[in-house]
Amino acid sequence: MNHLHKIINKKACVVIVFGCVFSGNVFSQIPLKSWNKTQVKSEIIEFVTRTTDPKNKDYVKIKDRIATFDNDGTLWSEQPFYFQFFFALDQIKKLSSEHPEWKNKQPYKAAIEDDLDSLSKLQSNDLLKIVLSVHSNNNSEKFEQLVKNWMKNSSHPKFKRPYNQLIFQPMLELINYLKENDYKVFIVSGGSVEFIRAWGEETYGIPKNQIIGSSLKGEFRQSNNDNARVAKLAEIDFIDDHKGKPIAIEKFIGRRPVISVGNSDGDLEMMQYTASGKGARLMLYLHHTDSEREWEYDKDSLVGKLDKGLDEAKKSGWSVIDMKKDWKIVYPFNDVEKDTNVKKVQM
Amino acid sequence: MNHLHKIINKKACVVIVFGCVFSGNVFSQIPLKSWNKTQVKSEIIEFVTRTTDPKNKDYVKIKDRIATFDNDGTLWSEQPFYFQFFFALDQIKKLSSEHPEWKNKQPYKAAIEDDLDSLSKLQSNDLLKIVLSVHSNNNSEKFEQLVKNWMKNSSHPKFKRPYNQLIFQPMLELINYLKENDYKVFIVSGGSVEFIRAWGEETYGIPKNQIIGSSLKGEFRQSNNDNARVAKLAEIDFIDDHKGKPIAIEKFIGRRPVISVGNSDGDLEMMQYTASGKGARLMLYLHHTDSEREWEYDKDSLVGKLDKGLDEAKKSGWSVIDMKKDWKIVYPFNDVEKDTNVKKVQM
């Protein structure tokens, strides 16, 4: 009986494998359809084809196919401020009634008064203070609900749409293309991990445990048998930016990425770490060159500065995506050909 | 043309889905075959059936199906010392020629002289010193090779076999059974994450990024363009034990487990954290009761002490696996029915 099952099982497996090949490669949608037929698109497709072909010398085993993406400015926009900062500002306003002392105390005062001029001059320490104040003492389930509610009703100052609609359609296609080719895709972001996990899983189709970011210290608390939880303290645990990115990749993934995608100097060490691996590697920098459809900035930008990274990309022959030239559309809602819904991206 | 592709694609998908159901549930091997037909086995199967049945009130969505396993004493043995300690001892001996000062300095002296009596009296700080000395300054690729080479030639003092053969066959079956039912399985261990990742991925079929453990601080280093790496410092980053386990679960997984499996008081907070989640949860404690086939220990053991945990399990009605009573065999090499090879476990 068991033997019979095994035979049937084997046949079923053949059908499945055959079906998958049939579905995945021959008849799947054209990859990267929102990308113009420029050099970068060819480089990406050529690289993925090469590293997934068992006969090619650059073949990469499935377990080693790791791709790491920055988030702010790489998977979604980041102007005029990082979007998490807008979330923090809105929370400060909501919390201000419980904190009368904030009224006359910077940086809270500027946040409460929507004083964008003062806010734009804040040092990173002050920015951090604002972000920390809204995080601490929340357990992650509560915080997730807070972010989700905010996101639904949020409105970007320029586009008047919820922030999670300002994701890059070509990047969604790149993520899906990599996943179809058995690459495991991670987000490695300077933003707070719990902020991104609250909406990123659904929006990008990347499981929470593949989303890595900056974090606050956690504390285990339990006052009775059924309320064990982890509360966040107003104390930095880890900043996942610059050198922090390769360190976090070792800690969370345990493998050197084969593909890394970023847009700022904060991603440079991740790129260098990726490039230093043996065998084929693909480093992709997104260059914001599109003042009309998105923003145009690089070396002098306060947010998402790309200076050293751009120089090293040129010097080392890394691929640079020119948003204006290489992308047919930027956001999913720019896709006029069909009724696009950002929620269609599946895990 | 595109439309035609979509239709064909849809049909192919139906075939695949149908094939998978056919293969995965109806004809897969009997689950947990090395488990005796006792209450614990029924509890596990009943729980998994219930949480994967969309019509059941306890149904758990696939993305929420998280199972966390301790490693030492839960997935493999841990007597007479944690196996990583044997690795560290062997490395100390290998490194001793470069460290003449160790000859007369404890705890190194005891390690070099194989003085098990002194070693057994070491405090955890001294144990840590030994483990740290062999870790530091290695980048993870080098360290992995070191562990792999050691593992291949290692020999457990009692069983005279490499340590990675002292894994529990019934637990391998449990891992596979959960995976077949779309549970994502993580290891959450007090041991060093890089030690476990070096052999655990292959041995248990759990990807490196789903293996969580204690860690040393990492430092990004780069002296020229193509040698960016992360070196480990002799400084603790995180101890993934007791309260550290739920904290690590939040950080790495971002979801509360639905199933947790452990064997010692070091797993108690993970169990409590799991039990405190809303909806159906399964907490499983492995009780080492088998002095003949493995070891018998609990409340008074130096290694893997199970005291408070056992009390709370009884009080809260958690499932307790009685190794002697509930398991037909302990190790894969005990399986005389067939030529068992631990490597057969696939990812």
Side-chain angles (χ1 to χ4, degrees), chain B residues 30-36 41 169-171 173 293 326-331 335:
Chain B
I30 301 151
L32 311 183
K33 69 178 188 40
S34 302
W35 296 63
N36 285 316
K41 180 173 177 171
Q169 176 64 28
M171 287 300 194
E173 293 167 12
R293 297 183 300 178
D326 293 325
W327 285 0
K328 277 187 197 155
I329 60 169
V330 174
Y331 301 120
D335 190 355

Side-chain angles (χ1 to χ4, degrees), chain B residues 128-178:
Chain B
L128 207 58
K129 259 189 209 166
I130 289 184
V131 173
L132 291 185
S133 345
V134 304
H135 250 293
S136 59
N137 273 314
N138 274 311
N139 68 41
S140 63
E141 282 107 340
K142 263 194 201 167
F143 184 76
E144 176 170 338
Q145 209 43 59
L146 209 65
V147 177
K148 278 190 168 153
N149 292 342
W150 171 81
M151 187 63 91
K152 214 188 298 173
N153 304 309
S154 67
S155 177
H156 183 277
K158 177 174 167 185
F159 287 97
K160 312 294 178 204
R161 288 172 176 272
Y163 292 91
N164 62 350
Q165 290 190 18
L166 300 186
I167 53 177
F168 302 139
Q169 176 64 28
M171 287 300 194
L172 294 180
E173 293 167 12
L174 178 55
I175 289 172
N176 285 339
Y177 175 56
L178 292 177

Side-chain angles (χ1 to χ4, degrees), chain A residues 9 23 140-141 184 197 201 209 220 222 225-228 237 246 250-251 255-256 272 276 312, chain B residues 9 23 140-141 184 197 201 209 220 222 225-228 237 246 250-251 254-256 272 276 312:
Chain A
N9 205 0
S23 161
S140 63
E141 283 107 340
K184 199 180 264 185
R197 280 179 181 165
E201 182 172 78
N209 69 296
F220 180 75
Q222 184 180 35
N225 243 346
D226 60 356
N227 71 351
D237 174 50
E250 289 247 339
K251 197 191 299 191
R255 286 203 148 84
R256 210 182 271 260
Q272 292 166 327
S276 294
E312 183 148 341
Chain B
N9 207 359
S23 160
S140 63
E141 282 107 340
K184 198 179 264 184
R197 281 179 180 163
E201 181 172 77
N209 69 295
F220 179 75
Q222 182 180 40
N225 243 345
D226 60 356
N227 71 352
D237 173 49
E250 290 246 339
K251 197 192 297 189
R255 285 203 150 84
R256 210 182 270 258
Q272 291 166 326
S276 294
E312 183 147 342

Side-chain angles (χ1 to χ4, degrees), chain A residues 142-154:
Chain A
K142 264 194 201 165
F143 185 75
E144 177 170 337
Q145 210 43 58
L146 207 65
V147 177
K148 277 189 168 154
N149 292 343
W150 170 82
M151 188 63 91
K152 215 188 298 175
N153 305 309
S154 67

Side-chain angles (χ1 to χ4, degrees), chain B residues 17-31:
Chain B
V17 171
F18 195 80
C20 286
V21 171
F22 182 74
S23 160
N25 294 343
V26 187
F27 289 106
S28 73
Q29 291 198 324
I30 301 151

Side-chain angles (χ1 to χ4, degrees), chain B residues 64-71 74-75 171 174-175 178 183-189 206 210 212 240 245-246 248-250 252-263 267 269-271 273-275 282-284:
Chain B
D64 290 320
R65 290 186 203 159
I66 301 293
T68 47
F69 284 73
D70 167 57
N71 182 45
T74 298
L75 293 180
M171 287 300 194
L174 178 55
I175 289 172
L178 292 177
Y183 271 91
K184 198 179 264 184
V185 176
F186 290 81
I187 292 174
V188 181
S189 168
I206 296 175
Q210 289 168 221
I212 302 167
D240 188 32
K245 292 202 177 196
I249 289 170
E250 290 246 339
F252 283 76
I253 308 177
R255 285 203 150 84
R256 210 182 270 258
V258 172
I259 299 174
S260 272
V261 190
N263 80 302
D267 304 314
E269 289 84 351
M270 174 170 83
M271 298 289 196
Y273 177 65
T274 303
L282 179 67
M283 284 63 63
L284 269 173

